[in-house]
């Protein structure tokens, strides 16, 4: 059977969109991972206390969450391109402030800079949803996960720029730990240019145009339709969740998975430093962790398309539980067990992110997506921020092993949420599977 002209055009635009988003994710991944690798160490250095070591990453994660609100509103009003550019612009400013904070030795300025730095993660997170706007329902998980996978290249390279960053810092007279943030500045700037120049046509606006054409056909045929509502506020996102249990389930899977990942990951550099691990070794372990987060995501996406989101979410909970349990048994400093634990921690997070994101996109309409997806990322970010704060306190008072053991229990909760069977909203509305 020959595809309808609209289907052919949609597929052509989707291929271009995915290629563009892949490139932007590579560059944005370099920007984010370069800074994350040394964030906790720089926070401890500037604050002078281990108890505040997690505040840098916590501020960044909190920024990721709260900056999602204006990005979601901008996306709903003017499309994905405007929203992504906003997030990357804010991250660029944040990286600059972190550099300034390192030079003048100001911990408060560092915290503000890391908060704005979180805009890079906001943009990266929203990019995965942009990949699903025009995807066919049968390949939604695949397309979304390909863009998630693209972050692998930049994100794995980022932590390994710690060594070159140290050399660059020495060459230009910057503090040793601040050098990698120069790479962050470059990565964010290039990602912004890619989105600005190449993400045309805008995937969300194009999906709305296809929906509008379908609505017009329905109107001419005498069908009933609703006027579009381009409200991207968190209030509307909450309304969507209240009416859609499946959307809530998806959000919980993502938020809890992020809580486990951030709480363990943010304190791992400190745990390794206690065992006198070299800075380059710490960067290597974090890069392997990020490899686990992104490298296998196409396989995760294919599994979601084939078996559905709930089984993959449950698998993610199991893997996170195993990873945290192994981390709890690892010795301070460098160890093969810790390397395996951090890799699995990334894989489990990937399962929860891809399954939750795909489920959320599938169960809401095109018009509801910016608000619902924005709320999901806000909750995910807040969960990660809470995890970062608690992680620093727990490690400072009890130790890394107790932190990881607690994270393992949260992994069990994810399995329970993934296994829960809730009635999915069945109200027929255009756009539910259109994007």
């Amino acid at each position: 059977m020959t595809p309808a002209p609209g289907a052919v055009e949609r597929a052509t635009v989707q291929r271009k969109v995915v290629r563009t988003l892949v490139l932007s994710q590579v560059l944005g991944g370099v920007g984010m991972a370069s800074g994350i690798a040394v964030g906790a160490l720089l926070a401890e250095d500037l604050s002078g206390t281990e108890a505040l070591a997690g505040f840098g990453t916590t501020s960044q994660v909190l920024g990721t969450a709260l900056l999602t609100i204006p990005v979601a509103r901008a996306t709903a009003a003017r499309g994905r391109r405007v929203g992504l550019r906003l997030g990357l612009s804010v991250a660029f400013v944040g990286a600059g402030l972190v550099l300034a904070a390192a030079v003048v030795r100001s911990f408060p300025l560092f915290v503000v800079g890391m908060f704005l730095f979180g805009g890079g993660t906001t943009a990266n997170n929203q990019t995965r949803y942009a990949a699903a706007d025009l995807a066919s329902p049968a390949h939604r998980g695949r397309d979304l996960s390909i863009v998630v996978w693209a972050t692998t290249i930049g994100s794995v390279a980022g932590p390994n720029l710690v060594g070159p960053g140290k050399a660059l810092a020495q060459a230009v007279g910057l503090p040793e730990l601040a050098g990698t943030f120069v790479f962050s500045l470059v990565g964010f700037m290039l990602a912004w240019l890619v989105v600005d120049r190449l993400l045309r046509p805008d995937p969300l606006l194009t999906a709305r145009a296809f929906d509008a054409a379908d609505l017009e056909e329905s109107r001419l045929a005498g069908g009933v339709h609703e006027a579009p509502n381009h409200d991207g506020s968190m209030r509307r996102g909450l309304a969507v969740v209240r009416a859609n249990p499946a959307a809530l389930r998806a959000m919980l899977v993502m938020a809890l998975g992020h809580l486990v990942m951030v709480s363990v990951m943010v304190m791992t550099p400190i745990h390794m430093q206690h065992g006198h691990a070299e800075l380059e070794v710490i960067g290597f372990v974090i890069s392997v962790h990020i490899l686990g987060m992104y490298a296998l995501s196409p396989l995760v996406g294919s599994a979601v398309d084939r078996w559905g989101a709930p089984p993959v979410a449950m698998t993610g909970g199991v893997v996170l539980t195993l990873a945290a349990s192994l981390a709890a048994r690892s010795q301070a400093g460098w160890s093969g067990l810790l390397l395996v634990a951090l890799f699995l921690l990334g894989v489990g997070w990937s399962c929860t992110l891809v399954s939750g994101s795909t489920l959320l996109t599938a169960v809401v309409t095109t018009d509801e997506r910016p608000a619902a997806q924005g709320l999901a990322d806000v909750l995910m970010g807040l969960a990660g921020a809470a995890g970062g704060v608690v992680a620093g306190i727990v490690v400072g008072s009890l130790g890394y092993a107790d932190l990881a053991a607690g994270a393992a229990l949260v992994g069990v909760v994810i399995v329970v949420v993934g296994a829960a069977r809730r009635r999915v909203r069945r109200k027929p509305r255009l756009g539910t599977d259109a994007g």
Side-chain angles (χ1 to χ4, degrees), residues 3-356:
V8 173
E9 181 182 354
R10 190 185 196 112
T12 300
V13 173
Q14 173 66 356
R15 285 193 293 270
K16 181 177 184 293
V17 165
V18 171
R19 287 195 299 267
T20 299
L21 295 176
V22 164
L23 180 56
S24 72
Q25 283 291 81
V26 170
L27 298 168
V30 169
M32 287 307 304
S34 296
I36 289 175
V38 298
L41 299 177
L42 186 55
E44 183 180 21
D45 178 57
L46 293 178
S47 66
T49 172
E50 182 182 294
L52 297 179
F55 268 61
T57 302
T58 299
S59 180
Q60 176 252 315
V61 173
L62 184 61
T64 296
L66 298 183
L67 290 169
T68 299
I69 297 173
V71 168
R73 293 184 73 96
T75 298
R78 301 179 61 187
R80 297 287 184 192
R81 192 162 61 93
V82 172
L84 295 178
R85 287 187 310 180
L86 175 60
L88 291 168
S89 298
V90 172
F92 182 88
V93 173
L97 290 179
V98 170
L99 280 171
V103 171
V104 302
R105 305 287 303 170
S106 172
F107 181 69
L109 183 60
F110 166 78
V111 172
V112 173
M114 288 300 289
F115 179 90
L116 298 178
F117 188 80
T121 304
T122 299
N124 284 359
N125 288 344
Q126 290 290 302
T127 298
R128 77 188 190 275
Y129 293 129
D133 283 329
L134 290 168
S136 67
H139 297 136
R140 186 177 285 125
R142 181 200 65 186
D143 288 359
L144 186 150
S145 63
I146 286 173
V147 172
V148 171
W149 169 85
T151 313
T152 307
I153 302 172
S155 295
V156 172
N160 287 295
L161 292 174
V162 168
K166 182 167 62 175
L168 176 62
Q170 292 170 349
V172 300
L174 290 172
E176 184 178 282
L177 292 173
T180 54
F181 282 91
V182 175
F183 297 117
S184 297
L185 286 170
V186 175
F188 291 143
M189 179 180 65
L190 293 177
W192 188 97
L193 289 172
V194 166
V195 170
D196 181 64
R197 302 297 181 184
L198 302 181
L199 194 59
R200 301 170 185 268
D202 186 283
L204 180 62
L205 300 183
T206 304
R208 286 176 178 171
F210 279 113
D211 284 355
D214 292 340
L215 284 171
E216 180 62 18
E217 289 183 6
S218 175
R219 186 187 66 81
L220 293 174
V224 177
H225 66 277
E226 299 179 9
N229 177 3
H230 299 162
D231 177 14
S233 68
M234 296 301 98
R235 178 179 297 179
R236 189 182 186 205
L238 288 169
V240 172
V241 170
R242 284 196 294 268
N244 194 331
L248 175 61
R249 183 182 181 187
M251 291 182 187
L252 285 175
V253 166
M254 288 188 281
L256 293 174
H258 201 57
L259 171 65
V260 173
M261 188 276 289
V262 172
S263 62
V264 176
M265 180 273 292
V266 70
M267 296 309 296
T268 295
I270 303 298
H271 179 61
M272 296 185 69
Q273 192 178 58
H274 285 167
H276 308 291
E278 296 292 332
L279 192 60
E280 289 81 2
V281 175
I282 294 174
F284 172 70
V285 171
I286 295 300
S287 71
V288 170
H289 163 65
I290 296 175
L291 182 69
M293 290 172 66
Y294 300 113
L296 300 181
S297 57
L299 296 179
V300 176
S302 296
V304 171
D305 287 337
R306 182 169 183 178
W307 292 297
V312 177
M314 293 170 62
T315 301
V318 171
V319 174
L320 286 172
T321 299
L322 174 61
S325 299
L326 292 177
R329 296 174 61 86
S330 68
Q331 64 187 40
W334 156 258
S335 70
L337 183 63
L338 184 62
L339 186 68
V340 171
L342 266 289
F343 177 77
L344 291 177
L345 187 72
V347 173
W349 176 87
S350 180
C351 290
T352 58
L353 180 78
V354 173
S355 62

